[in-house]
Amino acid sequence: MESLQELNVLEANKRLLKELEDMGFPRIQAAKALHCSGNTDIEAAINWIVDHENEPSIDPMPLIAVNIDIDSPQPIQTMEEMQIKEQELRNQARKEKEDEEKRLEREREKERIRAGKEIHEAKRIAEDNERKRYLASRKAEKEEEKRAREKVRQKLEADKNERRRMLGLPSVSHTATKLSSPSTHDKKNYVSVASVSKVEQLRECLRSLKRSHKDDDARVKRAFQTLLVYVGNVAQNPDKEKFRKIRIGNPLFQSRVGRLRGGIEFLELCGFERIEEDKFLFLPRDKVDLAVLNSAGLEIKSAMSNPFFGLLSHA
């Protein structure tokens, strides 16, 4: 009990205590400040109060005995000087707080910049992956087209051999053609190159049509569908003249194909010719090339299914 009582006794200079009370500090707070600062002077006590003003222990304590018999060897400061010092200390504390808030704001800004860079990088990676997926899809599409053309070639070869068999002629295999004389081999290579060139011309016609009307997707789609019908009808019914003759002045034909850049050119690449002073497009029976017609159909289907068809630069 005695040790506890000793702890609760605060020794404070009477004169300094009164000055602090006159400045508005509670008696217990002022006494504790004087006691903890060594009862040296008012400035030391105020410094202690400012340094500990946010601590719970600075709150008024229970009633205690105060020894006020200590004299201070320090000179007396005027009230005005003490108020100025107090204001300086409070201003210093406020400045330190503002500096800390600025530092925290800089840290937050750095974090926002870092997060922004991460989002930008993630977006770049996603776009790169999407581009790779499209290129892989396009490659697979080309391979599928190649396989389809090979199937068409094989079917044509089989039909040709069947007709030769019915005429009593020996069949000619693709392998036998490859083993033929050098002049025949060179001619075969030339025909193959010409076929590839024809397909590319068909594709470029469709690209031109789509690029020229890129703001009207519905009209482009209708043109592709109409061209596919014309080509399909001839391929499936090569002997019927009505499918091989188109009146150019027909309003429906003009609306769907004739007025669109590349429309009539595409049909001409398929073998159609202008006759009767450009009144009709006509495909003679002896000029019906099923390989070209089938390739044309494949190119139209590719243009209709590929959303990027005609929008990318052609290498």
Side-chain angles (χ1 to χ4, degrees), residues 60 77-78 85 94 135 153 172 178 189 192 221 255:
Q77 290 183 317
T78 65
K85 184 61 178 179
R94 188 182 303 109
L135 292 176
R153 188 197 62 77
V172 179
K178 286 186 176 181
N189 283 343
S192 176
K221 182 179 180 181
S255 172

Side-chain angles (χ1 to χ4, degrees), residues 213-225 260:
H213 305 85
K214 60 183 179 181
D215 296 327
D216 194 346
D217 291 340
R219 191 177 187 188
V220 172
K221 182 179 180 181
R222 189 165 58 248
F224 286 168
Q225 290 172 338
L260 278 69

Side-chain angles (χ1 to χ4, degrees), residues 11-186:
E11 294 184 348
N13 180 277
K14 182 178 181 180
R15 177 177 52 77
L16 297 177
L17 180 62
K18 185 176 184 308
E19 290 180 3
L20 288 173
E21 287 180 316
D22 290 342
M23 293 173 65
F25 293 106
R27 182 180 182 84
I28 297 301
Q29 187 182 39
K32 187 172 182 180
L34 288 170
H35 176 81
C36 294
S37 63
N39 287 287
T40 55
D41 54 26
I42 289 295
E43 183 176 353
I46 292 176
N47 287 340
W48 189 92
I49 291 174
V50 172
D51 292 340
H52 298 80
E53 64 178 347
N54 294 324
E55 296 181 4
S57 59
I58 198 62
D59 296 335
M61 299 173 62
L63 293 176
I64 58 174
V66 178
N67 185 344
I68 57 176
D69 296 331
I70 299 175
D71 290 328
S72 173
Q74 300 296 328
I76 300 174
Q77 290 183 317
T78 65
M79 180 64 66
E80 184 179 358
E81 289 175 340
M82 288 186 291
Q83 289 176 346
I84 292 174
K85 184 61 178 179
E86 178 187 5
Q87 187 61 39
E88 289 177 353
L89 294 172
R90 292 186 184 278
N91 290 342
Q92 181 180 354
R94 188 182 303 109
K95 185 176 183 304
E96 291 176 354
K97 183 178 180 181
E98 291 174 354
D99 291 343
E100 178 64 15
E101 289 178 351
K102 290 179 180 179
R103 185 188 67 80
L104 292 176
E105 180 60 28
R106 286 195 297 270
E107 292 296 326
R108 287 192 290 268
E109 182 63 22
K110 289 180 181 179
E111 179 63 21
R112 284 194 293 270
I113 293 174
R114 184 191 62 80
K117 288 181 178 179
E118 290 181 353
I119 293 174
H120 179 75
E121 179 64 15
K123 183 179 178 181
R124 186 192 65 78
I125 292 174
E127 291 175 350
D128 187 55
N129 290 338
E130 180 64 24
R131 185 163 51 252
K132 289 179 180 178
R133 283 193 293 270
Y134 168 72
L135 292 176
S137 173
R138 182 56 183 159
K139 181 179 179 181
E141 182 181 332
K142 287 183 177 180
E143 291 176 351
E144 181 63 26
E145 292 175 358
K146 182 178 179 181
R147 287 193 293 269
R149 285 195 292 270
E150 179 62 20
K151 288 181 180 179
V152 171
R153 188 197 62 77
Q154 292 176 357
K155 180 67 168 58
L156 291 174
E157 185 177 345
D159 292 344
K160 181 179 179 180
N161 285 333
E162 178 63 19
R163 289 194 296 271
R164 291 178 66 86
R165 186 187 65 78
M166 293 177 66
L167 294 172
L169 299 174
S171 62
V172 179
S173 67
H174 185 62
T175 304
T177 304
K178 286 186 176 181
L179 296 177
S180 59
S181 62
S183 59
T184 305
H185 181 68
D186 293 341

Side-chain angles (χ1 to χ4, degrees), residues 249-270:
N250 184 297
L252 187 61
F253 172 78
Q254 282 293 321
S255 172
R256 290 175 171 265
V257 176
R259 295 195 187 98
L260 278 69
R261 178 180 179 183
I264 293 180
E265 289 82 351
F266 185 85
L267 292 172
E268 288 177 332
L269 286 172
C270 293

